[in-house]
């Protein structure tokens, strides 16, 4: 799969990040955000199919070719909203749209709810709100996170004997993907080490969250979104539970269900084309 894009690095005030640029320079500004443990390559099928948009597909900090956060810093999901805003500032974009998959979709909703004056449109793929937790579980969750932080330096990321072995492992990971999708993510996400290959991702990304938003917190962000929003749900994705589908019905988003798994926009060309068929008129409206 060969796709035209420009590889760039951005020196943000607090961190350096990598990204892929797609589309015409004067196109509608869009920042694309990938899912947890993925990278900018997740949009390699979809981005070329979207018309009239200038897409900055980020490697979020700790992922792909972007820098890891400094020692002592955390990977709280709301921290990514700051990374996105600083990226927009680099391009001089006061208003822009967001294209988000999974965790990237969640970050998009949080930012759109927090700063509705900055966000033009939300295009979301199989993601909307984070895992939530209520007040009574907060002390235990924080304790688990602190203990994990004490132990993280003693943990080593897996080393795979071959590139193909790493691809096979990614195919079975969270949000299982096709071989071709896993290969695209691996080409950007793996690095050679003694004994084989390992992932570039920061090991701290696998640590438990120190604090979760409550359900009420999460829904407050959803209902403060002021821009048009379009949510694509994968029929074999991660948002298929009846209670979740019932909750999503209350969101002020346009909703479309498409066949495919959690990475339907990357797994194969028909999936990417189906998602593009929804988002092209949405961005053009």
């Amino acid at each position: 799969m060969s796709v035209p894009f420009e590889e760039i690095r951005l020196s943000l005030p607090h961190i350096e990040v990598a990204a892929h640029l797609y589309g015409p320079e004067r196109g509608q500004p869009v920042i694309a955000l990938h899912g947890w443990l993925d990278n900018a390559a997740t949009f390699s099928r979809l981005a070329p199919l979207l018309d009239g948009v200038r897409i900055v597909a980020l490697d979020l900090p700790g992922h792909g070719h972007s820098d890891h956060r400094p020692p002592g810093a955390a990977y709280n999901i709301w921290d990514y909203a700051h990374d996105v805003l600083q990226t927009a500032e680099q391009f001089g974009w006061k208003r822009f749209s967001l294209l988000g998959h999974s965790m990237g979709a969640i970050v998009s909703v949080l930012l759109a709810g927090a700063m509705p004056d900055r966000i033009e449109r939300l295009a979301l793929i199989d993601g909307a709100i984070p895992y939530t937790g209520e007040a009574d579980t907060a002390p235990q969750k924080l304790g688990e996170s602190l203990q994990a932080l004490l132990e993280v330096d003693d943990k080593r990321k897996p080393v795979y004997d071959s590139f193909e072995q790493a691809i096979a492992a990614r195919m079975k990971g969270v949000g299982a993907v096709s071989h071709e999708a896993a290969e695209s993510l691996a080409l950007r996400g793996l690095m050679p080490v003694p004994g084989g290959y390992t992932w570039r991702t920061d090991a701290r990304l696998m640590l438990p969250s120190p604090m979760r938003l409550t359900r009420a917190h999460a829904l407050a962000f959803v209902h403060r979104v002021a821009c048009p929003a379009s949510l694509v749900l994968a029929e074999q994705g991660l948002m298929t539970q009846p209670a979740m589908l019932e909750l999503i019905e209350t969101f002020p988003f346009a909703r479309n269900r498409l066949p495919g798994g959690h990475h339907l926009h990357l797994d194969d060309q028909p999936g990417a084309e189906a998602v593009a068929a929804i988002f092209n008129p949405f961005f053009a409206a």
Side-chain angles (χ1 to χ4, degrees), residues 60-132:
L60 290 167
H63 298 77
H65 289 261
S66 288
D67 285 352
H68 296 180
R69 297 209 192 277
Y75 283 96
N76 297 313
I77 193 165
W78 44 82
D79 293 328
Y80 291 124
H82 179 231
D83 304 319
V84 174
L85 283 174
Q86 289 291 0
T87 298
E89 292 295 305
Q90 290 273 309
F91 287 90
W93 294 347
K94 295 306 177 187
R95 284 181 63 81
F96 55 95
S97 296
L98 292 167
L99 167 61
H101 169 242
S102 194
M103 181 186 77
I106 295 166
V107 174
S108 298
V109 171
L110 293 179
L111 180 53
M115 303 189 74
D117 57 312
R118 298 294 302 269
I119 308 304
E120 196 83 45
R121 290 180 177 272
L122 286 183
L124 311 172
I125 304 171
D126 219 42
I129 62 171
Y131 290 111
T132 57

Side-chain angles (χ1 to χ4, degrees), residues 30-41:
V30 177
I31 298 178
L33 307 176
H34 60 75
W36 180 61
L37 302 184
D38 287 345
N39 53 60

Side-chain angles (χ1 to χ4, degrees), residues 77 102-110 124-133 213-223 225 231 233 238-239 243-245 247-248 250-253:
I77 193 165
S102 194
M103 181 186 77
I106 295 166
V107 174
S108 298
V109 171
L110 293 179
L124 311 172
I125 304 171
D126 219 42
I129 62 171
Y131 290 111
T132 57
L213 299 179
T214 66
R215 174 65 64 88
H217 280 131
L219 294 182
F221 282 94
V222 167
H223 292 293
V225 171
L231 171 61
L233 293 168
L238 300 185
M239 303 180 73
M244 175 57 71
L245 294 175
L247 180 64
I248 290 169
T250 69
F251 293 1
F253 303 162

